[in-house]
Amino acid sequence: MPIISAPHAFNERQLYVDLEPIFGHSLYLKCEGFNFAGSIKLKAAVEMVEAAEKDGLLTPDSVLVESSSGNLGVALSMIAASKGYRFLCVTDSRCNLSTRLLMEALGGEVHVIADLDANGGFLGARINYVRALCSSDDRYVWLSQYTNPGNWRAHYRTTAQEIARQFPQLDVLFVGAGTTGTLMGCARYFRKWHRPVRIVAVDTVGSVAFGGEPGRRLIPGLGMSMRPPLLDESYVDEVIQVEEADTIRACHRLAGHGFLFGGSTGTVVSGAMEWLAQHETPGLTAVAIAPDLGERYLDTVYQTTWIKDVYGDQILDSEAVAAGPREAEPMPRRPARRRNP
């Protein structure tokens, strides 16, 4: 029985869900939401905070500050509370209410940005706000998840190696793309592995991370309104973009079988199932990473009124949800973009 004294000392790392009975294609979903922060962002948060402490950047008077759409903010709120730091999260209106309340319950302060940047997103405005704070008071310490190498190193050291131990014959790995910390850490690790692993990045339509056209994005977690500074596309074999409507259908299909996952997971699963349907290969070993669970999305992804107001009345038709990403009607999907390793 584990006994801990700090909340970030616990993280369940070896739980997978077999999705074949639900979607008809063999895919193992690595569940990263079973820790006190509730998401995969705990790993990057611990890595970045501990590196800042080691480098002498943090003092008892320091105020941690970060731009986050939610999960990293919760992880940093928890770690700051445990270690005695103050924490300020700069977010925007897409951040789920429950996530903001979680940060505040943990003692974090939340500033919500309303101004859009040049690409129609909030990220540029959030970052400008953080920079202004840091310029105004040297007590603010910005970890900068978008540029901090600790973001991808955390997953090189943990997430990728956890998957490698469990699936020594891994063929393809599906990773959602936000800051691309998880993607880059895993891709770098498997590039050096004993067998080739195809790395498929899953992004959301409207994100410009891989050069797509900017568009409306309402579900936080994946996608960027600028090119991620950590991204090195030479490590990525393919990119699949998923419509938010398909994200919601995948989430509801999983929930219909008792698995309540977050919006990022719905996006990754939808993209992975599209890819697997197009690459029917007997004996293929495929893994996808589920960044968080679904409780923080109850007022959006799982709220029927919100869904219909935003996406229309037909999105949750039982036939569309059951059909999966390839057969469901709604919006046209952009084709996958392929790269050779």
Side-chain angles (χ1 to χ4, degrees), residues 186-193 195 233-237 341:
C186 291
R188 281 186 166 92
Y189 180 85
F190 284 110
R191 176 63 62 87
K192 300 178 180 179
W193 210 35
R195 59 181 275 124
E233 291 189 64
S234 68
Y235 287 95
V236 180
D237 298 308

Side-chain angles (χ1 to χ4, degrees), residues 3-325:
I3 298 175
I4 63 173
S5 57
H8 51 278
F10 170 76
N11 195 358
E12 172 55 59
R13 301 171 184 266
Q14 292 295 347
L15 179 62
Y16 295 81
V17 177
D18 180 359
L19 295 184
E20 185 169 13
I22 301 175
F23 290 92
H25 297 287
S26 180
L27 179 68
Y28 298 102
L29 189 63
K30 188 179 193 303
C31 301
E32 291 281 352
F34 292 97
N35 56 60
F36 284 100
S39 81
I40 196 171
K41 289 293 189 178
L42 176 63
K43 293 176 174 177
V46 169
E47 182 86 13
M48 292 189 295
V49 169
E50 290 184 349
E53 290 176 329
K54 182 178 179 181
D55 293 341
L57 299 177
L58 289 173
T59 69
D61 293 330
S62 295
V63 182
L64 283 168
V65 60
E66 187 56 87
S67 161
S68 170
S69 62
N71 283 335
L72 182 67
V74 173
L76 288 173
S77 295
M78 184 189 78
I79 293 171
S82 174
K83 290 176 172 286
Y85 300 119
R86 289 175 55 199
F87 172 64
L88 168 61
C89 181
V90 179
T91 188
D92 59 68
S93 57
R94 292 178 307 152
C95 180
N96 297 322
L97 174 61
S98 58
T99 302
R100 300 203 299 267
L101 294 175
L102 269 172
M103 288 188 275
E104 291 171 350
L106 289 164
E109 185 179 352
V110 182
H111 287 191
V112 180
I113 300 300
D115 297 328
L116 295 175
D117 60 27
N119 286 322
F122 294 97
L123 181 55
R126 284 176 10 202
I127 290 175
N128 288 338
Y129 188 90
V130 171
R131 285 176 174 154
L133 281 176
C134 293
S135 297
S136 69
D137 191 330
D138 59 10
R139 290 177 301 170
Y140 286 107
V141 176
W142 182 23
L143 298 175
S144 185
Q145 63 168 323
Y146 311 106
T147 59
N148 193 322
N151 189 345
W152 68 261
R153 285 175 184 156
H155 301 288
Y156 185 98
R157 294 193 308 102
T158 61
T159 310
Q161 295 185 39
E162 291 155 12
I163 295 169
R165 285 193 296 269
Q166 192 72 21
F167 297 96
Q169 299 302 312
L170 180 67
D171 294 302
V172 58
L173 178 64
F174 300 94
V175 188
T179 65
T180 68
T182 307
L183 175 65
M184 287 293 96
C186 291
R188 281 186 166 92
Y189 180 85
F190 284 110
R191 176 63 62 87
K192 300 178 180 179
W193 210 35
H194 70 92
R195 59 181 275 124
V197 175
R198 195 153 192 84
I199 302 296
V200 180
V202 184
D203 197 11
T204 182
V205 170
S207 165
V208 303
F210 294 91
E213 291 296 321
R216 182 185 72 169
R217 294 181 293 114
L218 299 179
I219 300 174
L222 297 185
M224 293 274 279
S225 57
M226 69 177 190
R227 180 179 174 82
L230 295 177
L231 175 62
D232 183 342
E233 291 189 64
S234 68
Y235 287 95
V236 180
D237 298 308
E238 296 186 48
V239 178
I240 295 177
Q241 286 191 310
V242 174
E243 297 277 3
E244 286 190 337
D246 286 335
T247 292
I248 290 170
R249 291 189 183 99
C251 285
H252 281 256
R253 189 163 177 179
L254 287 161
H257 289 79
F259 294 105
L260 195 72
F261 283 105
S264 299
T265 299
T267 302
V268 173
V269 169
S270 180
M273 288 303 165
E274 178 188 8
W275 191 95
L276 291 168
Q278 296 172 358
H279 299 77
E280 295 282 0
T281 305
L284 187 78
T285 300
V287 171
I289 298 174
D292 61 4
L293 301 177
E295 292 91 340
R296 296 173 192 175
Y297 301 82
L298 293 177
D299 55 350
T300 53
V301 170
Y302 295 102
Q303 217 288 322
T304 303
T305 301
W306 182 87
I307 293 170
K308 290 184 176 181
D309 285 347
V310 173
Y311 301 99
D313 291 339
Q314 306 303 314
I315 185 172
L316 291 181
D317 282 356
S318 58
E319 290 184 5
V321 172

